[in-house]
Amino acid sequence: MSNYNIFPDEFLWGGATAANQYEGGYNQGGKGPALVDVLPSGKDRYDVMSGKLDYKKLDESTEYPGRVAVDGYSHWEEDIDYMIEMGFRVYRFSISWSRIFPLGTEKTPNTEGLKFYEKIIDKLNKNNIEPLVTICHFDIPLNLIEQYGSWRNREVIQFYLKYCKTLFNYFKGKVKYWITFNEINMLFHLPFMGAGIVFSENENQMEVKYQVAHNELVASALATKMAHEIDSNNQIGCMLAAGQYYPYSSKPEDVFDALDKNRDIFFFGDIQVRGKYPNYAKKKLQELNIEIKTEPEDEAILKKYPVDFVSFSYYSSRLTSADENVGEKTSGNVIHSLRNKYLETSEWGWQIDPLGLRTTLNALYERYEKPLFIVENGLGAKDKLNGDGSIDDDYRIEYLSRHIAVMRDAIVKDGVELIGYTSWGCIDLISASTGQMSKRYGYVYVDKDDEGKGSLKRYKKKSFYWYKKVIETNGENL
Ligand code: BG6
């Protein structure tokens, strides 16, 4: 057995961002309008994200925080310098689809968009940082939503594959790790943010969600096939918003309810890894009287092209009961959970459960026996910029070190194959669920507030120096 304190030598330490919350530059470089550009700040945000409120009905005074975000579009070079200084071995970021295909339907890509990402990727490779690219992170050209109804329409699969083909060819030999869809299961919770879905009145929403899921799953399998054909070194991952459900009590009904809720997450992984609809899902669709439109070749496509690794985000475990009248609901987190009295919560009501990460790692590894990659984890918290430009974010260090410690346990004591860790929002960025800037995750502070004011100047937090040490010592110095 290897030394208990040491992560595998090749372990990929790093951080993650995504174009929709980091990049901004919404009308620069030939980029077309995208989903992220119509997500408002404030109280309407949740209704738009969940598909209940049509963004076209928002009034003129509406602010859209994603349009500028933290202006990664102009600051990427400086930001990668911070990553180099911390010793990153991997950087997860997403490509904005409408920067490459502004309408989603063009015959040829926008070269300026490709060149923008090429500069980023070249700088990463030059500095031995592995790029981990999310092809679609809560983002889709607005034209595909307005003209095609987004992922409910099978035609969108072809547009997505064209986008993928462009990326796989253009970045051949420069990018090895790809994620087809960020948190693919999010479409069940926030259908607009997750998949660009706006519901019409009297529509069977569940049926639409399963149709969208099916189309994305077929697209993901075909993208996997294409990636392997273009470059056999490519490694493709699915990406789940994970976090195991615990039963509220030892009542058998609660235990079964937790099993059932966990299936909502596993449903996607089961198809992307095992290559077929699991029986419990087929039964559920029958019970709900849902009929999704499929093509005869779909079964073979899903079967033949499983992903190479399983990536996931983990912020917390969840708690559930079969009895709707027990327990208190947590606030803040978009995936519903009851409050677990044994856990502390963040300022935004998200529960903090490091051991739950080990439970989740084991559940995923035992089920799939594929390499795992934690591509999001972290604490959204308010930070105070001191007069001397320092930020004492000890709470973040504590959160991260407790999670990294259980990752080590999962590897060394449980034998889980974990290939990397990219904590979320390594450079502060805007929150997906609230659109706020004050919900910060980074090692690098960005001077901007919830009203959009600030110099966008970057400052290193205390956690910056801490994480640098963690990487330097390969996880020994927590
Ligand atoms: C994940 C998303 O759901 O959680 C990210 O993939 C998101 O896009 C992250 O930012 C944290 O959530 P929030 O709402 O605090 O930004």
Side-chain angles (χ1 to χ4, degrees):
M1 180 174 277
S2 54
N3 183 333
Y4 172 71
N5 283 323
I6 300 190
F7 278 85
D9 287 343
E10 61 288 359
F11 193 76
L12 292 168
W13 295 101
T17 65
N20 63 325
Q21 291 157 255
Y22 166 73
E23 211 171 83
Y26 78 107
N27 56 3
Q28 289 173 266
K31 177 182 171 295
L35 184 161
V36 52
D37 302 324
V38 298
L39 286 181
S41 56
K43 59 175 182 32
D44 289 334
R45 187 174 178 90
Y46 187 82
D47 285 346
V48 172
M49 291 190 304
S50 53
K52 286 185 201 128
L53 172 64
D54 190 339
Y55 61 88
K56 290 198 217 82
K57 299 204 171 115
L58 297 170
D59 66 43
E60 276 174 18
S61 64
T62 306
E63 304 275 351
Y64 299 95
R67 294 186 182 184
V68 177
V70 291
D71 193 20
Y73 191 68
S74 314
H75 289 76
W76 64 269
E77 212 162 353
E78 176 191 351
D79 290 343
I80 294 178
D81 283 335
Y82 289 121
M83 297 173 202
I84 296 168
E85 196 181 331
M86 278 185 278
F88 275 25
R89 298 177 190 168
V90 60
Y91 170 41
R92 173 183 178 225
F93 62 98
S94 75
I95 290 184
S96 155
W97 186 345
S98 68
R99 220 177 256 302
I100 310 301
F101 287 99
L103 295 173
T105 52
E106 292 88 344
K107 288 212 159 49
T108 52
N110 169 33
T111 318
E112 204 176 338
L114 287 168
K115 289 218 175 325
F116 170 67
Y117 294 108
E118 189 177 22
K119 284 186 286 179
I120 293 177
I121 290 166
D122 284 349
K123 182 164 169 114
L124 294 173
N125 281 327
K126 195 166 149 229
N127 289 284
N128 298 318
I129 300 177
E130 194 79 59
L132 166 58
V133 174
T134 313
I135 297 169
C136 187
H137 190 123
F138 299 158
D139 209 358
I140 176 165
L142 210 53
N143 178 57
L144 294 182
I145 296 175
E146 295 183 348
Q147 302 302 322
Y148 293 83
S150 191
W151 282 101
R152 65 170 78 218
N153 185 338
R154 200 172 166 108
E155 269 185 83
V156 170
I157 298 179
Q158 293 314 320
F159 297 128
Y160 174 81
L161 289 176
K162 178 150 201 206
Y163 164 51
C164 289
K165 192 173 187 180
T166 305
L167 300 184
F168 296 149
N169 278 324
Y170 197 85
F171 298 117
K172 184 172 170 176
K174 293 186 173 189
V175 175
K176 173 175 165 191
Y177 293 100
W178 304 88
I179 290 170
T180 50
F181 291 97
N182 178 63
E183 293 188 338
I184 190 165
N185 50 321
M186 192 55 80
L187 69 91
F188 277 125
H189 306 277
L190 296 175
F192 184 72
M193 186 166 83
I197 298 304
V198 184
F199 294 110
S200 46
E201 256 174 70
N202 304 324
E203 190 164 40
N204 180 343
Q205 297 196 359
M206 207 40 126
E207 190 162 86
V208 175
K209 288 180 189 173
Y210 273 102
Q211 185 65 59
V212 166
H214 181 79
N215 291 346
E216 287 197 0
L217 287 162
V218 170
S220 177
L222 288 170
T224 305
K225 169 181 191 273
M226 185 188 276
H228 291 153
E229 281 167 3
I230 291 174
D231 185 346
S232 57
N233 280 326
N234 276 331
Q235 294 287 297
I236 309 297
C238 58
M239 197 304 201
L240 310 168
Q244 286 296 108
Y245 276 97
Y246 300 156
Y248 184 74
S249 75
S250 52
K251 257 170 69 185
E253 287 80 359
D254 285 352
V255 174
F256 192 82
D257 192 62
L259 178 143
D260 195 45
K261 290 273 180 358
N262 281 320
R263 284 173 170 171
D264 285 346
I265 306 168
F266 290 139
F267 167 72
F268 290 91
D270 287 353
I271 296 172
Q272 290 179 293
V273 181
R274 294 167 161 175
K276 60 181 169 68
Y277 274 64
N279 286 351
Y280 65 79
K282 290 184 190 159
K283 293 287 174 196
K284 186 169 179 178
L285 291 174
Q286 270 171 18
E287 194 186 310
L288 293 171
N289 208 7
I290 286 178
E291 223 170 290
I292 49 175
K293 290 187 214 98
T294 60
E295 293 297 328
E297 65 272 21
D298 290 0
E299 216 176 290
I301 291 171
L302 296 175
K303 180 94 217 140
K304 275 172 81 181
Y305 309 110
V307 291
D308 302 303
F309 65 92
V310 175
S311 76
F312 64 97
S313 59
Y314 176 86
Y315 293 92
S316 184
S317 57
R318 295 152 189 153
L319 186 67
T320 187
S321 168
D323 182 347
E324 283 178 11
N325 301 312
V326 304
E328 181 199 341
K329 292 208 168 51
T330 56
S331 60
N333 202 316
V334 294
I335 300 188
H336 299 295
S337 167
L338 295 174
R339 183 175 296 282
N340 184 333
K341 65 180 178 197
Y342 299 104
L343 302 178
E344 304 149 47
T345 55
S346 77
E347 289 167 274
W348 271 266
W350 290 25
Q351 304 186 99
I352 300 174
D353 181 12
L355 187 54
L357 174 57
R358 182 170 169 190
T359 307
T360 301
L361 280 161
N362 277 284
L364 289 168
Y365 193 64
E366 282 171 13
R367 198 168 181 108
Y368 301 130
E369 292 189 328
K370 288 261 183 189
L372 302 183
F373 206 145
I374 301 169
V375 295
E376 283 187 37
N377 170 242
L379 177 71
K382 287 184 184 141
D383 289 333
K384 186 173 157 287
L385 179 63
N386 300 320
D388 61 359
S390 63
I391 298 107
D392 299 314
D393 58 341
D394 297 274
Y395 36 88
R396 183 167 295 108
I397 295 174
E398 196 200 326
Y399 177 102
L400 294 169
S401 69
R402 288 170 68 199
H403 284 77
I404 294 174
V406 304
M407 280 156 44
R408 192 171 55 190
D409 289 343
I411 295 171
V412 179
K413 297 183 182 170
D414 304 327
V416 165
E417 196 185 342
L418 180 63
I419 54 177
Y421 176 75
T422 59
S423 63
W424 177 244
C426 50
I427 310 289
D428 283 348
L429 36 65
I430 60 162
S431 155
S433 58
T434 69
Q436 290 167 303
M437 193 58 222
S438 53
K439 194 180 186 196
R440 298 170 184 275
Y441 287 86
Y443 303 112
V444 174
Y445 181 95
V446 177
D447 176 31
K448 184 170 174 174
D449 63 19
D450 287 343
E451 275 67 57
K453 296 194 195 78
S455 63
L456 292 173
K457 193 167 164 348
R458 275 63 169 152
Y459 298 86
K460 296 176 204 169
K461 302 182 194 178
K462 192 171 176 183
S463 57
F464 178 99
Y465 302 99
W466 168 82
Y467 196 44
K468 181 171 159 44
K469 257 275 157 50
V470 171
I471 300 176
E472 230 166 57
T473 60
N474 205 25
E476 206 167 323
N477 202 328
L478 296 180

